[in-house]
């Protein structure tokens, strides 16, 4: 990604506010903080909508006998925390897909009175992660974000979108590194392209780069969803990788996929 050096003069109080954004993880310098602010407010490229997946089989959604999307995290449901993090990047239109525990999830989020628009899409039973995409298809125009409702990730979505656009990508996956890649979708990266993608490999994983649960898609991606496609990770991503159409965006920042009491404790301790 090419950059140019510039010299600017700004008020000291504004510069102090810029410096407060430097956290050493997502934003590591004053220059990166300035770039973040400019991309957030001036970029021609914006994510119009975010589709959040908050569905699945009932048994797999329970943590501490509660739907994991509603687990309390610093005084708010996990699902709200996911949307709040995305909203920080100027995304204000959300579609939340629900099936199991649909009423409980919808009532809890409505009670939060969030400062952005949320529309709920109701599925009839857990049928895989492609079904929510197809249900939202007619509402998705231009670049859109898809994210898991049980996953918090400290990703600079403006930078990810710029990466997506510069590569003329129709599908970009945020990638992070984990110590147990066999429990995730594993990506083999060559340059910016994902050349292979395998969901929870049964044999030895050949990469520690895994799907972080955040995707940027173009509407063109629907052309590659056939009748046999049921799952994004098992069906769609491997097909796109095989065609040379899948890009990977590695990021360095906090990442929490919450599927157990231990995951929840870790997130509460580190956030």
């Amino acid at each position: 990604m090419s950059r140019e050096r510039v010299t600017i003069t700004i008020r000291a109080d504004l510069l102090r506010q810029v410096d407060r954004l430097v956290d050493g993880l997502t934003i590591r310098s004053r220059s990166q903080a300035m770039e973040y602010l400019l991309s957030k407010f001036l970029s021609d490229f914006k994510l119009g909508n975010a589709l959040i997946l908050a569905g699945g089989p009932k048994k797999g959604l329970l943590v501490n006998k509660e739907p994991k999307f509603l687990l309390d995290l610093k005084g708010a449901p996990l699902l709200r925390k996911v949307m709040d993090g995305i909203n920080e990047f100027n995304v204000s239109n959300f579609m939340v897909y629900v099936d199991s525990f649909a009423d409980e999830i919808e009532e809890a989020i409505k009670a939060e009175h969030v400062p952005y628009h949320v529309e709920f899409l109701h599925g009839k039973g857990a049928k895989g992660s492609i079904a929510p995409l197809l249900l939202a298809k007619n509402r998705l125009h231009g670049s859109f974000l898809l994210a898991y409702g049980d996953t918090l990730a400290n990703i600079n979505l403006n930078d990810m979108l710029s990466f997506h656009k510069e590569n003329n990508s129709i599908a970009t996956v945020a990638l992070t590194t984990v110590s147990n890649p066999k429990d995730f979708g594993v990506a083999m990266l060559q340059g910016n392209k994902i050349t292979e993608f395998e969901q929870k490999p049964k044999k030895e994983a050949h990469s520690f780069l895994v799907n972080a649960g955040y995707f940027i898609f173009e509407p063109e991606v629907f052309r590659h969803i056939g009748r046999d496609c049921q799952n994004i990770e098992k069906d769609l991503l491997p097909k796109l990788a095989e065609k040379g159409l899948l890009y990977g965006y590695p990021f360095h920042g906090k990442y929490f996929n919450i599927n157990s009491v231990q995951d929840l404790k870790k997130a509460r301790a580190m956030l």
Side-chain angles (χ1 to χ4, degrees):
M1 193 178 301
S2 63
R3 287 175 168 81
E4 294 186 14
R5 182 181 295 275
V6 297
T7 301
I8 63 172
T9 302
I10 65 174
R11 288 180 0 223
D13 60 321
L14 292 178
L15 189 58
R16 285 193 292 271
Q17 292 184 53
V18 170
D19 287 341
R20 290 193 190 104
L21 295 174
V22 179
D23 58 11
L25 292 171
T26 305
I27 299 176
R28 296 179 292 278
S29 67
R30 177 182 286 175
S31 294
Q32 196 172 1
M34 295 289 289
E35 184 176 64
Y36 162 76
L37 289 170
L38 287 169
S39 65
K40 183 172 182 178
F41 293 106
L42 301 178
S43 176
D44 290 333
F45 304 123
K46 293 184 179 180
L47 289 165
N49 296 287
L51 173 61
I52 311 298
L53 304 189
K58 282 190 174 182
K59 187 176 180 181
L61 297 186
L62 290 173
V63 174
N64 263 359
K65 299 181 180 180
E66 184 178 5
K68 60 183 176 179
F69 307 110
L70 300 183
L71 292 168
D72 182 81
L73 200 60
K74 302 292 184 180
L78 170 59
L79 180 58
R80 172 169 184 172
K81 289 292 188 182
V82 172
M83 292 190 290
D84 282 352
I86 295 169
N87 178 244
E88 288 181 7
F89 294 90
N90 223 23
V91 179
S92 56
N93 292 308
F94 291 85
M95 287 173 281
V96 177
Y97 172 84
V98 289
D99 42 48
S100 305
F101 305 108
D103 293 339
E104 294 95 320
I105 293 171
E106 185 169 352
E107 287 175 11
I109 296 302
K110 286 182 176 179
E112 288 290 306
H113 302 291
V114 294
Y116 37 79
H117 176 74
V118 181
E119 175 185 0
F120 288 88
L121 306 179
H122 289 255
K124 297 179 180 178
K127 297 180 180 179
S129 50
I130 290 293
L133 260 178
L134 296 177
L135 194 60
K137 180 179 178 180
N138 293 333
R139 298 172 172 85
L140 298 170
H141 308 290
S143 305
F144 65 92
L145 179 75
L146 184 144
Y148 298 155
D150 61 359
T151 302
L152 289 166
N154 198 0
I155 303 172
N156 185 330
L157 294 176
N158 288 328
D159 191 61
M160 183 177 173
L161 181 59
S162 294
F163 173 91
H164 174 83
K165 292 291 187 179
E166 288 184 5
N167 285 292
N168 295 313
S169 174
I170 66 166
T172 299
V173 183
L175 301 174
T176 190
T177 55
V178 294
S179 58
N180 55 332
K182 288 181 69 174
D183 293 336
F184 296 83
V186 178
M188 294 291 291
L189 199 63
Q190 189 173 68
N192 293 333
K193 282 190 177 183
I194 296 175
T195 55
E196 290 181 44
F197 187 91
E198 187 176 5
Q199 180 68 6
K200 295 184 179 180
K202 294 180 180 179
K203 297 182 180 180
E204 182 182 357
H206 297 293
S207 169
F208 286 89
L209 281 171
V210 302
N211 165 25
Y214 284 69
F215 314 82
I216 294 178
F217 290 125
E218 297 297 321
E220 187 183 341
V221 76
F222 288 105
R223 299 179 189 174
H224 302 274
I225 297 177
R227 292 183 179 179
D228 58 337
C229 269
Q230 292 187 336
N231 188 279
I232 292 171
E233 298 85 353
K234 291 182 180 179
D235 302 317
L236 179 60
L237 298 186
K239 180 187 291 187
L240 293 173
E242 186 178 339
K243 293 179 178 180
L245 297 174
L246 187 62
Y247 285 80
Y249 175 81
F251 73 97
H252 304 283
K254 293 178 181 178
Y255 166 77
F256 302 100
N257 179 232
I258 299 175
N259 286 301
S260 67
V261 174
Q262 290 75 21
D263 294 336
L264 179 63
K265 288 180 178 178
K266 183 179 178 181
R268 284 174 173 169
M270 296 185 68
L271 287 176

